[in-house]
PDB file of all heavy atoms in Angstrom:
ATOM      1  N   VAL A  22      13.039  23.260 -23.283  1.00 33.00           N
ATOM      2  CA  VAL A  22      13.474  23.758 -24.613  1.00 33.00           C
ATOM      3  C   VAL A  22      12.352  24.179 -25.596  1.00 33.00           C
ATOM      4  O   VAL A  22      11.311  23.635 -25.498  1.00 33.00           O
ATOM      5  CB  VAL A  22      14.300  22.680 -25.328  1.00 33.00           C
ATOM      6  CG1 VAL A  22      15.293  23.278 -26.231  1.00 33.00           C
ATOM      7  CG2 VAL A  22      14.881  21.697 -24.393  1.00 33.00           C
ATOM      8  N   ALA A  23      12.529  25.023 -26.746  1.00 33.00           N
ATOM      9  CA  ALA A  23      11.389  25.573 -27.491  1.00 33.00           C
ATOM     10  C   ALA A  23      11.470  25.581 -29.002  1.00 33.00           C
ATOM     11  O   ALA A  23      12.508  25.692 -29.566  1.00 33.00           O
ATOM     12  CB  ALA A  23      11.147  27.006 -27.048  1.00 33.00           C
ATOM     13  N   ALA A  24      10.273  25.510 -29.676  1.00 34.00           N
ATOM     14  CA  ALA A  24      10.209  25.556 -31.137  1.00 34.00           C
ATOM     15  C   ALA A  24       9.736  26.937 -31.571  1.00 34.00           C
ATOM     16  O   ALA A  24       9.730  27.876 -30.793  1.00 34.00           O
ATOM     17  CB  ALA A  24       9.244  24.490 -31.633  1.00 34.00           C
ATOM     18  N   LYS A  25       9.323  27.064 -32.852  1.00 35.00           N
ATOM     19  CA  LYS A  25       8.891  28.364 -33.342  1.00 35.00           C
ATOM     20  C   LYS A  25       7.631  28.809 -32.616  1.00 35.00           C
ATOM     21  O   LYS A  25       6.712  28.032 -32.410  1.00 35.00           O
ATOM     22  CB  LYS A  25       8.609  28.274 -34.856  1.00 35.00           C
ATOM     23  CG  LYS A  25       9.863  27.983 -35.673  1.00 35.00           C
ATOM     24  CD  LYS A  25       9.534  27.943 -37.139  1.00 35.00           C
ATOM     25  CE  LYS A  25      10.779  27.667 -37.978  1.00 35.00           C
ATOM     26  NZ  LYS A  25      10.491  27.608 -39.403  1.00 35.00           N
ATOM     27  N   LYS A  27       4.017  30.271 -31.674  1.00 38.00           N
ATOM     28  CA  LYS A  27       2.718  30.373 -32.309  1.00 38.00           C
ATOM     29  C   LYS A  27       1.937  31.453 -31.576  1.00 38.00           C
ATOM     30  O   LYS A  27       2.387  31.996 -30.573  1.00 38.00           O
ATOM     31  CB  LYS A  27       1.996  29.027 -32.222  1.00 38.00           C
ATOM     32  CG  LYS A  27       2.784  27.917 -32.906  1.00 38.00           C
ATOM     33  CD  LYS A  27       2.096  26.581 -32.710  1.00 38.00           C
ATOM     34  CE  LYS A  27       2.923  25.443 -33.299  1.00 38.00           C
ATOM     35  NZ  LYS A  27       2.310  24.125 -33.081  1.00 38.00           N
ATOM     36  N   ARG A  54       3.295  14.615 -25.993  1.00 93.00           N
ATOM     37  CA  ARG A  54       4.429  14.831 -26.893  1.00 93.00           C
ATOM     38  C   ARG A  54       5.746  14.427 -26.240  1.00 93.00           C
ATOM     39  O   ARG A  54       6.659  13.957 -26.915  1.00 93.00           O
ATOM     40  CB  ARG A  54       4.494  16.303 -27.323  1.00 93.00           C
ATOM     41  CG  ARG A  54       3.502  16.694 -28.412  1.00 93.00           C
ATOM     42  CD  ARG A  54       3.902  18.032 -29.001  1.00 93.00           C
ATOM     43  NE  ARG A  54       5.207  17.952 -29.650  1.00 93.00           N
ATOM     44  CZ  ARG A  54       6.076  18.959 -29.728  1.00 93.00           C
ATOM     45  NH1 ARG A  54       5.788  20.119 -29.179  1.00 93.00           N
ATOM     46  NH2 ARG A  54       7.232  18.796 -30.337  1.00 93.00           N
ATOM     47  N   GLU A  58       7.177  11.870 -28.615  1.00 92.00           N
ATOM     48  CA  GLU A  58       8.175  12.483 -29.486  1.00 92.00           C
ATOM     49  C   GLU A  58       9.461  12.872 -28.762  1.00 92.00           C
ATOM     50  O   GLU A  58      10.564  12.529 -29.189  1.00 92.00           O
ATOM     51  CB  GLU A  58       7.595  13.756 -30.136  1.00 92.00           C
ATOM     52  CG  GLU A  58       6.350  13.551 -30.969  1.00 92.00           C
ATOM     53  CD  GLU A  58       5.799  14.873 -31.465  1.00 92.00           C
ATOM     54  OE1 GLU A  58       6.611  15.764 -31.809  1.00 92.00           O
ATOM     55  OE2 GLU A  58       4.567  15.039 -31.466  1.00 92.00           O
ATOM     56  N   GLY A  59       9.293  13.627 -27.651  1.00 92.00           N
ATOM     57  CA  GLY A  59      10.456  14.210 -26.994  1.00 92.00           C
ATOM     58  C   GLY A  59      11.476  13.193 -26.522  1.00 92.00           C
ATOM     59  O   GLY A  59      12.644  13.224 -26.949  1.00 92.00           O
ATOM     60  N   GLN A  62      13.099  10.987 -29.314  1.00 92.00           N
ATOM     61  CA  GLN A  62      14.069  11.694 -30.153  1.00 92.00           C
ATOM     62  C   GLN A  62      15.332  12.029 -29.365  1.00 92.00           C
ATOM     63  O   GLN A  62      16.451  11.772 -29.826  1.00 92.00           O
ATOM     64  CB  GLN A  62      13.470  12.979 -30.719  1.00 92.00           C
ATOM     65  CG  GLN A  62      14.474  13.785 -31.557  1.00 92.00           C
ATOM     66  CD  GLN A  62      13.854  14.962 -32.274  1.00 92.00           C
ATOM     67  OE1 GLN A  62      12.734  14.876 -32.770  1.00 92.00           O
ATOM     68  NE2 GLN A  62      14.577  16.079 -32.335  1.00 92.00           N
ATOM     69  N   MET A  63      15.176  12.589 -28.162  1.00 92.00           N
ATOM     70  CA  MET A  63      16.339  13.019 -27.400  1.00 92.00           C
ATOM     71  C   MET A  63      17.210  11.843 -26.961  1.00 92.00           C
ATOM     72  O   MET A  63      18.425  11.975 -26.823  1.00 92.00           O
ATOM     73  CB  MET A  63      15.901  13.840 -26.190  1.00 92.00           C
ATOM     74  CG  MET A  63      15.340  15.211 -26.562  1.00 92.00           C
ATOM     75  SD  MET A  63      15.000  16.273 -25.123  1.00 92.00           S
ATOM     76  CE  MET A  63      13.549  15.478 -24.465  1.00 92.00           C
ATOM     77  N   SER A  65      17.406   8.885 -28.644  1.00 92.00           N
ATOM     78  CA  SER A  65      17.488   7.930 -29.753  1.00 92.00           C
ATOM     79  C   SER A  65      18.833   7.223 -29.829  1.00 92.00           C
ATOM     80  O   SER A  65      18.927   6.087 -30.304  1.00 92.00           O
ATOM     81  CB  SER A  65      17.207   8.631 -31.085  1.00 92.00           C
ATOM     82  OG  SER A  65      18.158   9.668 -31.321  1.00 92.00           O
ATOM     83  N   GLY A 225       3.122  26.021 -27.720  1.00 89.00           N
ATOM     84  CA  GLY A 225       3.274  24.798 -28.493  1.00 89.00           C
ATOM     85  C   GLY A 225       4.493  23.989 -28.138  1.00 89.00           C
ATOM     86  O   GLY A 225       4.698  22.897 -28.660  1.00 89.00           O
ATOM     87  N   SER A 226       5.348  24.486 -27.251  1.00 94.00           N
ATOM     88  CA  SER A 226       6.531  23.746 -26.834  1.00 94.00           C
ATOM     89  C   SER A 226       6.137  22.581 -25.934  1.00 94.00           C
ATOM     90  O   SER A 226       5.061  22.569 -25.338  1.00 94.00           O
ATOM     91  CB  SER A 226       7.486  24.657 -26.073  1.00 94.00           C
ATOM     92  OG  SER A 226       7.891  25.747 -26.874  1.00 94.00           O
ATOM     93  N   ILE A 227       7.026  21.609 -25.815  1.00 94.00           N
ATOM     94  CA  ILE A 227       6.758  20.503 -24.907  1.00 94.00           C
ATOM     95  C   ILE A 227       6.645  21.029 -23.481  1.00 94.00           C
ATOM     96  O   ILE A 227       5.768  20.631 -22.724  1.00 94.00           O
ATOM     97  CB  ILE A 227       7.861  19.428 -25.013  1.00 94.00           C
ATOM     98  CG1 ILE A 227       7.740  18.692 -26.356  1.00 94.00           C
ATOM     99  CG2 ILE A 227       7.757  18.428 -23.862  1.00 94.00           C
ATOM    100  CD1 ILE A 227       8.788  17.620 -26.562  1.00 94.00           C
ATOM    101  N   MET A 263      11.161  24.510 -23.815  1.00 95.00           N
ATOM    102  CA  MET A 263      11.908  23.410 -24.410  1.00 95.00           C
ATOM    103  C   MET A 263      11.043  22.701 -25.441  1.00 95.00           C
ATOM    104  O   MET A 263       9.848  22.540 -25.242  1.00 95.00           O
ATOM    105  CB  MET A 263      12.333  22.435 -23.310  1.00 95.00           C
ATOM    106  CG  MET A 263      12.807  21.076 -23.796  1.00 95.00           C
ATOM    107  SD  MET A 263      11.503  19.929 -24.240  1.00 95.00           S
ATOM    108  CE  MET A 263      12.139  18.410 -23.671  1.00 95.00           C
ATOM    109  N   ASP A 264      11.698  22.323 -26.555  1.00 95.00           N
ATOM    110  CA  ASP A 264      10.954  21.573 -27.564  1.00 95.00           C
ATOM    111  C   ASP A 264      11.912  20.756 -28.410  1.00 95.00           C
ATOM    112  O   ASP A 264      13.133  20.976 -28.400  1.00 95.00           O
ATOM    113  CB  ASP A 264      10.154  22.525 -28.455  1.00 95.00           C
ATOM    114  CG  ASP A 264       8.961  21.823 -29.106  1.00 95.00           C
ATOM    115  OD1 ASP A 264       8.651  20.693 -28.690  1.00 95.00           O
ATOM    116  OD2 ASP A 264       8.350  22.406 -30.009  1.00 95.00           O
ATOM    117  N   VAL A 265      11.371  19.803 -29.138  1.00 94.00           N
ATOM    118  CA  VAL A 265      12.113  19.074 -30.156  1.00 94.00           C
ATOM    119  C   VAL A 265      11.324  19.192 -31.450  1.00 94.00           C
ATOM    120  O   VAL A 265      10.120  18.964 -31.481  1.00 94.00           O
ATOM    121  CB  VAL A 265      12.309  17.585 -29.783  1.00 94.00           C
ATOM    122  CG1 VAL A 265      13.204  17.446 -28.571  1.00 94.00           C
ATOM    123  CG2 VAL A 265      10.975  16.888 -29.508  1.00 94.00           C
ATOM    124  N   ALA A 266      12.007  19.601 -32.511  1.00 89.00           N
ATOM    125  CA  ALA A 266      11.344  19.774 -33.802  1.00 89.00           C
ATOM    126  C   ALA A 266      12.385  19.885 -34.895  1.00 89.00           C
ATOM    127  O   ALA A 266      13.448  20.495 -34.688  1.00 89.00           O
ATOM    128  CB  ALA A 266      10.452  21.026 -33.792  1.00 89.00           C
ATOM    129  N   GLY A 267      12.096  19.290 -36.043  1.00 86.00           N
ATOM    130  CA  GLY A 267      12.975  19.425 -37.197  1.00 86.00           C
ATOM    131  C   GLY A 267      14.387  18.948 -36.958  1.00 86.00           C
ATOM    132  O   GLY A 267      15.335  19.542 -37.473  1.00 86.00           O
ATOM    133  N   GLY A 268      14.545  17.890 -36.168  1.00 89.00           N
ATOM    134  CA  GLY A 268      15.881  17.372 -35.905  1.00 89.00           C
ATOM    135  C   GLY A 268      16.695  18.210 -34.948  1.00 89.00           C
ATOM    136  O   GLY A 268      17.910  18.038 -34.848  1.00 89.00           O
ATOM    137  N   MET A 269      16.045  19.125 -34.246  1.00 92.00           N
ATOM    138  CA  MET A 269      16.719  19.991 -33.287  1.00 92.00           C
ATOM    139  C   MET A 269      16.070  19.868 -31.911  1.00 92.00           C
ATOM    140  O   MET A 269      14.852  19.735 -31.802  1.00 92.00           O
ATOM    141  CB  MET A 269      16.627  21.465 -33.718  1.00 92.00           C
ATOM    142  CG  MET A 269      17.428  21.823 -34.941  1.00 92.00           C
ATOM    143  SD  MET A 269      19.156  22.132 -34.485  1.00 92.00           S
ATOM    144  CE  MET A 269      19.777  22.700 -36.094  1.00 92.00           C
ATOM    145  N   THR A 270      16.899  19.931 -30.892  1.00 94.00           N
ATOM    146  CA  THR A 270      16.409  20.137 -29.537  1.00 94.00           C
ATOM    147  C   THR A 270      16.811  21.557 -29.163  1.00 94.00           C
ATOM    148  O   THR A 270      17.974  21.924 -29.294  1.00 94.00           O
ATOM    149  CB  THR A 270      17.031  19.140 -28.547  1.00 94.00           C
ATOM    150  OG1 THR A 270      16.564  17.824 -28.875  1.00 94.00           O
ATOM    151  CG2 THR A 270      16.617  19.465 -27.122  1.00 94.00           C
ATOM    152  N   SER A 271      15.847  22.356 -28.737  1.00 94.00           N
ATOM    153  CA  SER A 271      16.146  23.761 -28.499  1.00 94.00           C
ATOM    154  C   SER A 271      15.714  24.203 -27.114  1.00 94.00           C
ATOM    155  O   SER A 271      14.712  23.765 -26.570  1.00 94.00           O
ATOM    156  CB  SER A 271      15.487  24.653 -29.563  1.00 94.00           C
ATOM    157  OG  SER A 271      14.168  24.259 -29.794  1.00 94.00           O
ATOM    158  N   LYS A 334      20.195  25.921 -29.776  1.00 95.00           N
ATOM    159  CA  LYS A 334      19.642  24.836 -30.583  1.00 95.00           C
ATOM    160  C   LYS A 334      20.725  23.774 -30.788  1.00 95.00           C
ATOM    161  O   LYS A 334      21.836  24.100 -31.205  1.00 95.00           O
ATOM    162  CB  LYS A 334      19.134  25.364 -31.923  1.00 95.00           C
ATOM    163  CG  LYS A 334      17.875  26.222 -31.812  1.00 95.00           C
ATOM    164  CD  LYS A 334      17.399  26.675 -33.173  1.00 95.00           C
ATOM    165  CE  LYS A 334      16.018  27.330 -33.087  1.00 95.00           C
ATOM    166  NZ  LYS A 334      16.003  28.507 -32.220  1.00 95.00           N
ATOM    167  N   VAL A 335      20.380  22.540 -30.493  1.00 94.00           N
ATOM    168  CA  VAL A 335      21.340  21.437 -30.580  1.00 94.00           C
ATOM    169  C   VAL A 335      20.874  20.453 -31.642  1.00 94.00           C
ATOM    170  O   VAL A 335      19.817  19.829 -31.488  1.00 94.00           O
ATOM    171  CB  VAL A 335      21.482  20.710 -29.228  1.00 94.00           C
ATOM    172  CG1 VAL A 335      22.571  19.643 -29.313  1.00 94.00           C
ATOM    173  CG2 VAL A 335      21.787  21.697 -28.109  1.00 94.00           C
ATOM    174  N   PRO A 336      21.634  20.279 -32.741  1.00 95.00           N
ATOM    175  CA  PRO A 336      21.263  19.307 -33.768  1.00 95.00           C
ATOM    176  C   PRO A 336      21.239  17.893 -33.184  1.00 95.00           C
ATOM    177  O   PRO A 336      21.969  17.579 -32.240  1.00 95.00           O
ATOM    178  CB  PRO A 336      22.379  19.446 -34.811  1.00 95.00           C
ATOM    179  CG  PRO A 336      22.993  20.781 -34.547  1.00 95.00           C
ATOM    180  CD  PRO A 336      22.862  21.009 -33.082  1.00 95.00           C
ATOM    181  N   GLN A 337      20.409  17.049 -33.756  1.00 93.00           N
ATOM    182  CA  GLN A 337      20.271  15.702 -33.234  1.00 93.00           C
ATOM    183  C   GLN A 337      21.598  14.948 -33.224  1.00 93.00           C
ATOM    184  O   GLN A 337      21.883  14.191 -32.298  1.00 93.00           O
ATOM    185  CB  GLN A 337      19.232  14.916 -34.060  1.00 93.00           C
ATOM    186  CG  GLN A 337      18.884  13.555 -33.491  1.00 93.00           C
ATOM    187  CD  GLN A 337      18.276  13.650 -32.099  1.00 93.00           C
ATOM    188  OE1 GLN A 337      17.470  14.537 -31.836  1.00 93.00           O
ATOM    189  NE2 GLN A 337      18.667  12.738 -31.213  1.00 93.00           N
ATOM    190  N   ALA A 338      22.432  15.168 -34.239  1.00 94.00           N
ATOM    191  CA  ALA A 338      23.727  14.474 -34.300  1.00 94.00           C
ATOM    192  C   ALA A 338      24.594  14.822 -33.092  1.00 94.00           C
ATOM    193  O   ALA A 338      25.271  13.954 -32.531  1.00 94.00           O
ATOM    194  CB  ALA A 338      24.457  14.843 -35.591  1.00 94.00           C
ATOM    195  N   ASP A 339      24.569  16.095 -32.666  1.00 93.00           N
ATOM    196  CA  ASP A 339      25.336  16.498 -31.493  1.00 93.00           C
ATOM    197  C   ASP A 339      24.722  15.929 -30.216  1.00 93.00           C
ATOM    198  O   ASP A 339      25.432  15.480 -29.310  1.00 93.00           O
ATOM    199  CB  ASP A 339      25.402  18.020 -31.394  1.00 93.00           C
ATOM    200  CG  ASP A 339      26.443  18.621 -32.328  1.00 93.00           C
ATOM    201  OD1 ASP A 339      27.197  17.837 -32.934  1.00 93.00           O
ATOM    202  OD2 ASP A 339      26.501  19.860 -32.447  1.00 93.00           O
ATOM    203  N   LEU A 340      23.391  15.975 -30.148  1.00 93.00           N
ATOM    204  CA  LEU A 340      22.724  15.430 -28.963  1.00 93.00           C
ATOM    205  C   LEU A 340      22.999  13.937 -28.828  1.00 93.00           C
ATOM    206  O   LEU A 340      23.174  13.428 -27.719  1.00 93.00           O
ATOM    207  CB  LEU A 340      21.220  15.692 -29.046  1.00 93.00           C
ATOM    208  CG  LEU A 340      20.406  15.369 -27.780  1.00 93.00           C
ATOM    209  CD1 LEU A 340      20.861  16.246 -26.626  1.00 93.00           C
ATOM    210  CD2 LEU A 340      18.930  15.551 -28.029  1.00 93.00           C
ATOM    211  N   ASP A 341      23.061  13.251 -29.964  1.00 92.00           N
ATOM    212  CA  ASP A 341      23.352  11.809 -29.928  1.00 92.00           C
ATOM    213  C   ASP A 341      24.702  11.525 -29.275  1.00 92.00           C
ATOM    214  O   ASP A 341      24.854  10.542 -28.544  1.00 92.00           O
ATOM    215  CB  ASP A 341      23.339  11.240 -31.349  1.00 92.00           C
ATOM    216  CG  ASP A 341      21.936  11.123 -31.928  1.00 92.00           C
ATOM    217  OD1 ASP A 341      20.965  11.208 -31.145  1.00 92.00           O
ATOM    218  OD2 ASP A 341      21.814  10.965 -33.151  1.00 92.00           O
TER     219      ASP A 341
END
Side-chain angles (χ1 to χ4, degrees):
V22 210
K25 295 182 179 179
K27 300 176 184 178
R54 282 195 63 211
E58 301 175 38
Q62 177 172 321
M63 290 187 287
S65 60
S226 301
I227 289 180
M263 165 281 218
D264 204 12
V265 294
M269 291 277 186
T270 293
S271 45
K334 290 182 170 60
V335 185
Q337 187 61 40
D339 281 352
L340 189 63
D341 287 345

